[in-house]
Amino acid sequence: MKGLFLVEPVIALYAFSSFLIYPLVQQYVYRRIWEQLTNNTYPVSDNTSRCATNSSQPSYHEEAQRQASLFSLYTELFSTIPSLVVTLMLVAYSDRGGRKITIIMPLIGTLLYTLTFLTVSFFELNLYLLIGSSILSSLFGGLGTFLGGCFAYIADLCEDGKQKTLRMAGVDMMIGLLSGVASISTGYFLRAAGFNWPFVTSALCQCLILFYAIFILEETVKKPPTDAINLEGSPQPSALKQVIHGVYHLFAGASRRRTTVLVLLLLIFLSFSFAYIGGVSLITLYELNKPLCWTEILIGYGAALSSTVFLTSFVGVSAFTYCGAPQLLIVLFGILSVSSGMILLGFTKTTLFMFLVRIPMFLAVMPYPVLRSMMSKIVSKSEQGALFACLCFLESLTSNVSSAVFNSVYAATVKWYPGFVFLLSAGLCAIPLFFVAVVGLIGVDVPNEEKKAEPVYSGEEEPVEDLNENSPLLSRATQTAQTSPALC
């Protein structure tokens, strides 16, 4: 029966089904816009002759790039607010109503979006129906709700801080591996069968995920907290009040020290996510643009190589954790990895170099599981849902705003310098680096009275380890150098 508490199969199949169609979205929109502008069939070949044949009419190429970028912008803008509200409500409510609702609802929304995409592709309907389906699916929560529920589910099962860090890093690795397999499959799938069959395959996978989540996955929240308020009449006001109280108590109900540390960690997480997601979201359009002019096969290989960052980041987190490295140092290396990769990406002009620039970014995902674990460890067990609700709400908001901003910048700069957005991403990495320095100076230790209130830490062997992990970065590094084995 222990397998019933495994949420990893849900995450794995969701990653595969999502990344099976995610690389196709921008390609499909780009091709449809191209055909509307030129009144010709989109050229498909194994080389870059498409760019050569269109050099006499560069305005079509640049206009298709601009309109495809703006289409992504409109999709993000219109679906942001519903998704954010539902994410905040559902994940915070999961402390009371259970984690499974935060997993099942986004799966239903994703399935509806995939089926709509299949319908638009099969019948060649108006492209703007995709924006409507995106808004509809956002009413079910979206990716932020799904990941928030999954990470809260894992936090319920993990008592040790290091175990929590490694398991969350393992989830990121799993997402990367399955998305890489899906990305490679996408190019060949598209070449052999067109756009329709990948959507059918993705929809079948999502139906399987729903079956597992509803009938096999066990719930970790067996009963509401003892301090839950049962109001007279409809249960809906009680749930709303519980959500508001949970999020409010997460910040206002804690000491000033814990609130300061939590806010700083949130700022690192969000500013890093803004810079990283904004740059990564435009790689496919950049690969379609001149002088690269990649085919769907090359785009699939590029996306697969990019997804190995999850595996290498997991190896990096595991190695640094085993050697006793400070968690802030792991975050620092991850941010520097993104910054260096984006700088190189901004000057990439050849296919070989486009593959090689992925190498400096092999540690890019390390900050995510480490920061989630650090924030989860300084709040109580009963506040995990509120924490991940707030985190996923802000992360979804940041990702949507980042995509909108970077798509706008790309649309404005694609004619004179397409790589400008990647240099902008690298420059914005200076913001999380600043906050890392601040947290490194003040430390991330939590007052003793708050730790005593934590029901799951009652042993006497933990304080030494916690002190080492949460002390300021400079003193922590000194302690590590004095006590760690020589091989580290």
Side-chain angles (χ1 to χ4, degrees):
M1 299 296 292
K2 186 177 181 180
L4 296 176
F5 287 93
L6 282 177
V7 74
E8 281 81 359
V10 179
I11 301 174
L13 284 176
Y14 182 84
F16 178 81
S17 63
S18 297
F19 279 85
L20 190 63
I21 63 172
Y22 177 75
L24 298 180
V25 174
Q26 286 184 326
Q27 293 185 68
Y28 179 77
V29 172
Y30 180 81
R31 289 191 182 193
R32 287 285 302 271
I33 293 176
W34 173 278
E35 292 172 353
Q36 291 173 7
L37 289 174
T38 62
N39 292 322
N40 293 319
T41 303
Y42 187 85
V44 178
S45 62
D46 293 326
N47 51 46
T48 59
S49 60
R50 174 174 58 84
C51 287
T53 57
N54 294 316
S55 59
S56 61
Q57 295 176 324
S59 60
Y60 286 147
H61 183 78
E62 294 170 352
E63 182 64 18
Q65 285 271 313
R66 189 186 70 84
Q67 290 191 24
S69 178
L70 291 178
F71 187 91
S72 299
L73 169 63
Y74 298 147
T75 302
E76 295 291 342
L77 286 178
F78 290 126
S79 61
T80 294
I81 295 178
S83 177
L84 292 177
V85 173
V86 175
T87 295
L88 182 62
M89 298 296 295
L90 280 183
V91 183
Y93 176 69
S94 67
D95 281 334
R96 171 191 176 95
R99 310 298 185 196
K100 287 181 63 173
I101 189 175
T102 63
I103 299 174
I104 294 173
M105 292 292 287
L107 290 176
I108 296 175
T110 304
L111 178 60
L112 291 175
Y113 180 74
T114 303
L115 292 176
T116 303
F117 217 122
L118 173 62
T119 304
V120 171
S121 174
F122 186 80
F123 294 103
E124 295 187 356
L125 303 178
N126 193 302
L127 275 179
Y128 287 93
L129 289 175
L130 297 178
I131 298 180
S133 67
S134 178
I135 297 173
L136 177 62
S137 65
S138 68
L139 297 176
F140 292 85
L143 179 62
T145 308
F146 176 79
L147 291 180
C150 290
F151 284 120
Y153 189 98
I154 292 174
D156 291 338
L157 300 176
C158 297
E159 302 292 343
D160 179 69
K162 288 186 177 180
Q163 179 190 7
K164 191 179 299 183
T165 300
L166 292 177
R167 190 164 180 183
M168 290 183 178
V171 167
D172 285 334
M173 178 197 67
M174 186 181 304
I175 293 174
L177 290 178
L178 271 298
S179 62
V181 173
S183 298
I184 292 178
S185 304
T186 294
Y188 290 101
F189 226 149
L190 178 59
R191 177 64 61 86
F195 285 96
N196 296 333
W197 279 107
F199 297 140
V200 172
T201 305
S202 178
L204 292 176
C205 288
Q206 289 160 14
C207 291
L208 181 61
I209 303 170
L210 270 174
F211 177 84
Y212 182 93
I214 295 173
F215 298 106
I216 299 178
L217 186 66
E218 193 66 48
E219 180 60 73
T220 57
V221 179
K222 298 298 183 181
K223 59 181 180 179
T226 56
D227 58 348
I229 302 174
N230 294 323
L231 300 180
E232 297 291 339
S234 173
Q236 197 169 11
S238 178
L240 179 60
K241 186 173 183 179
Q242 184 72 21
V243 169
I244 297 175
H245 178 268
V247 176
Y248 173 79
H249 185 268
L250 183 65
F251 295 96
S255 67
R256 181 176 300 178
R257 173 72 176 181
R258 196 194 82 166
T259 302
T260 301
V261 172
L262 185 59
V263 169
L264 286 173
L265 292 177
L266 276 172
L267 289 175
I268 297 173
F269 190 97
L270 298 176
S271 57
F272 171 74
S273 182
F274 183 91
Y276 178 60
I277 298 299
V280 169
S281 64
L282 287 163
I283 289 181
T284 299
L285 276 180
Y286 186 76
E287 292 167 344
L288 289 169
N289 195 11
K290 296 182 296 184
L292 296 174
C293 300
W294 276 16
T295 64
E296 60 271 18
I297 301 297
L298 285 176
I299 291 175
Y301 277 114
L305 183 59
S306 294
S307 66
T308 59
V309 68
F310 293 93
L311 174 60
T312 53
S313 294
F314 172 75
V315 174
V317 170
S318 301
F320 283 124
T321 302
Y322 174 78
C323 293
Q327 290 184 312
L328 282 179
L329 189 62
I330 303 176
V331 175
L332 176 64
F333 285 150
I335 298 173
L336 292 177
S337 176
V338 171
S339 179
S340 59
M342 289 296 175
I343 291 175
L344 295 176
L345 192 58
F347 298 101
T348 299
K349 301 298 180 183
T350 65
T351 294
L352 176 61
F353 203 65
M354 191 67 189
F355 281 111
L356 292 178
V357 294
R358 264 83 173 190
I359 296 177
M361 300 179 67
F362 273 171
L363 301 179
V365 186
M366 287 199 309
Y368 287 110
V370 174
L371 289 170
R372 288 191 188 103
S373 177
M374 293 173 70
M375 288 184 280
S376 176
K377 192 164 59 174
I378 65 176
V379 303
S380 66
K381 191 84 171 180
S382 62
E383 295 175 319
Q384 295 297 321
L387 169 65
F388 284 103
C390 183
L391 179 61
C392 291
F393 173 85
L394 294 175
E395 183 181 6
S396 298
L397 176 62
T398 302
S399 298
N400 289 322
V401 172
S402 174
S403 297
V405 170
F406 275 77
N407 273 284
S408 299
V409 173
Y410 185 76
T413 60
V414 65
K415 291 185 178 181
W416 59 275
Y417 193 71
F420 175 79
V421 289
F422 304 118
L423 299 180
L424 176 63
S425 174
L428 291 175
C429 286
I431 299 176
L433 286 175
F434 169 77
F435 290 121
V436 167
V438 174
V439 176
L441 292 175
I442 68 174
V444 291
D445 56 302
V446 178
N448 292 331
E449 61 270 15
E450 290 191 31
K451 290 184 179 180
K452 292 178 181 178
E454 179 70 53
V456 296
Y457 294 109
S458 57
E460 295 183 359
E461 65 276 1
E462 284 292 324
V464 175
E465 182 179 350
D466 285 345
L467 177 61
N468 286 341
E469 289 194 7
N470 295 331
S471 56
L473 180 60
L474 297 180
S475 60
R476 166 80 173 113
T478 303
Q479 289 178 343
T480 302
Q482 295 173 350
T483 59
S484 296
L487 60 91
C488 294

